[in-house]
Amino acid sequence: MINIKYIFSVIPLIILSCSSPAVFPTTDLKIISANILIDNSRTKREIAEEFINWDADVYLFHEASEKVNIDRDFFESRGYKVYSHERSNINSFNGVLVSRVEGQFTSIDLDYSYSANFDPIIFSPFYSIRVTINSKPLTIIGAHIPPEILMPESIIPVRERSFKDIKSYIQEKLSKGESVIIGGDFNTFPSDRLMSYIIDSGLEDSALHNKDRYDFTWAPGSLNLNLARIDYMFYSKGIEVVYSDVLNITGSDHDLIVMGVNIK
């Protein structure tokens, strides 16, 4: 005989496990930045099905490649365009931008290299899409800068150069009257002096609009506990941030950042 008490105790768990992602207010633009992990154990389709539920206008995927973990056909069947940024010689530094907003995609011409075990590692950390919303030009930049921790010492000056270069790129866009959003895995903490290059470029941190300004985004290794904030979304004047939040990604050691904005 079925235990009625057991059934009623299990129903709430089933409801919670099947619940939809959090509902956010309607905005001009919803952006997600996510390091999905190049060795994510899930299939391309499983990853795509999770992210499509968030219903973003633009996805900035880091550690991403159509060869490994991005399902182009799935996203295109849902009305998105898929742009691959694969200028790095290892997939963990490549990225993919997925957008249902019409725009011009650009692989930003900033390439770097460092030596690891006598082999050159080439990485191209930045890519962008230029869109027009409410008759206003907006450049959205994806970023994935390699870490300093557990890397050869030769990466240190290269990392600083990449921060300096993207600052100049941002300032050039702003000087032309464009708005700018940059989101990604910067692989460093808010207190790192390198982050001042981003702030000094004229951008503000979306975390100031998060209900929890100390929301961490990364858990080292298999430790299921976020210990640091190394993922960010920044925006320029002329952009109203309606919400910003950090949400879990299945199969990654990072959480995603979601931001909803209105373009003034």
Side-chain angles (χ1 to χ4, degrees):
M1 183 174 178
I2 298 175
N3 189 318
I4 299 298
K5 287 185 178 180
Y6 173 78
I7 292 175
F8 280 101
S9 67
V10 169
I11 286 175
L13 296 177
I14 295 174
I15 292 172
L16 287 172
S17 65
C18 299
S19 59
S20 302
V23 177
F24 294 102
T26 300
T27 54
D28 291 336
L29 192 70
K30 182 179 184 179
I31 306 172
I32 281 178
S33 174
N35 185 325
I36 57 178
L37 205 63
I38 202 66
D39 57 357
N40 193 311
S41 61
R42 296 178 303 154
T43 66
K44 293 180 181 181
R45 179 56 58 88
E46 289 170 337
I47 293 171
E49 286 176 344
E50 176 180 20
F51 276 91
I52 208 73
N53 285 331
W54 295 113
D55 193 34
D57 298 299
V58 177
Y59 296 92
L60 306 172
F61 288 121
H62 321 293
E63 290 202 39
S65 168
E66 290 186 54
K67 304 183 190 79
V68 183
N69 52 13
I70 294 294
D71 191 331
R72 171 183 283 271
D73 292 340
F74 181 89
F75 281 110
E76 289 183 341
S77 72
R78 299 303 194 276
Y80 290 84
K81 289 187 177 180
V82 177
Y83 304 95
S84 288
H85 176 70
E86 300 201 354
R87 291 168 57 148
S88 304
N89 62 357
I90 55 175
N91 277 326
S92 58
F93 289 143
N94 283 320
V96 177
L97 187 151
V98 177
S99 176
R100 65 182 172 201
V101 182
E102 289 292 332
Q104 181 180 2
F105 176 81
T106 302
S107 286
I108 297 175
D109 191 19
L110 293 173
D111 298 336
Y112 308 91
S113 66
Y114 65 94
S115 179
N117 298 322
F118 304 104
D119 293 324
I121 303 298
I122 298 169
F123 67 95
S124 180
F126 309 112
Y127 53 90
S128 71
I129 188 168
R130 187 178 186 274
V131 301
T132 301
I133 298 176
N134 296 337
S135 301
K136 304 290 180 62
L138 167 65
T139 293
I140 303 168
I141 303 169
H144 184 198
I145 300 174
E148 179 180 340
I149 298 173
L150 302 178
M151 298 289 274
E153 191 173 342
S154 59
I155 194 70
I156 296 174
V158 179
R159 274 171 45 84
E160 178 145 13
R161 198 157 66 245
S162 69
F163 275 92
K164 286 182 177 179
D165 289 345
I166 199 61
K167 173 185 177 180
S168 297
Y169 185 87
I170 291 167
Q171 289 180 323
E172 180 183 357
K173 291 291 182 181
L174 296 177
S175 71
K176 295 178 179 178
E178 294 188 29
S179 296
V180 172
I181 291 172
I182 183 169
D185 175 6
F186 288 78
N187 270 309
T188 199
F189 312 127
S191 58
D192 187 342
R193 68 176 183 82
L194 295 181
M195 295 304 296
S196 65
Y197 286 112
I198 306 299
I199 298 298
D200 292 346
S201 71
L203 304 187
E204 297 186 38
D205 192 343
S206 70
L208 298 175
H209 299 271
N210 190 332
K211 60 183 181 297
D212 181 358
R213 296 187 182 184
Y214 302 99
D215 237 349
F216 293 157
T217 65
W218 174 71
S222 59
L223 183 64
N224 191 26
L225 176 64
N226 286 351
L227 295 180
R229 181 161 80 101
I230 63 174
D231 305 88
Y232 305 85
M233 197 98 74
F234 295 93
Y235 65 96
S236 65
K237 293 179 180 179
I239 296 175
E240 176 195 11
V241 177
V242 178
Y243 61 83
S244 178
D245 208 348
V246 173
L247 305 167
N248 182 252
I249 307 171
T250 308
S252 176
D253 55 354
H254 291 254
D255 284 352
L256 66 83
I257 297 176
V258 58
M259 182 173 73
V261 301
N262 290 328
I263 309 300
K264 300 177 182 178

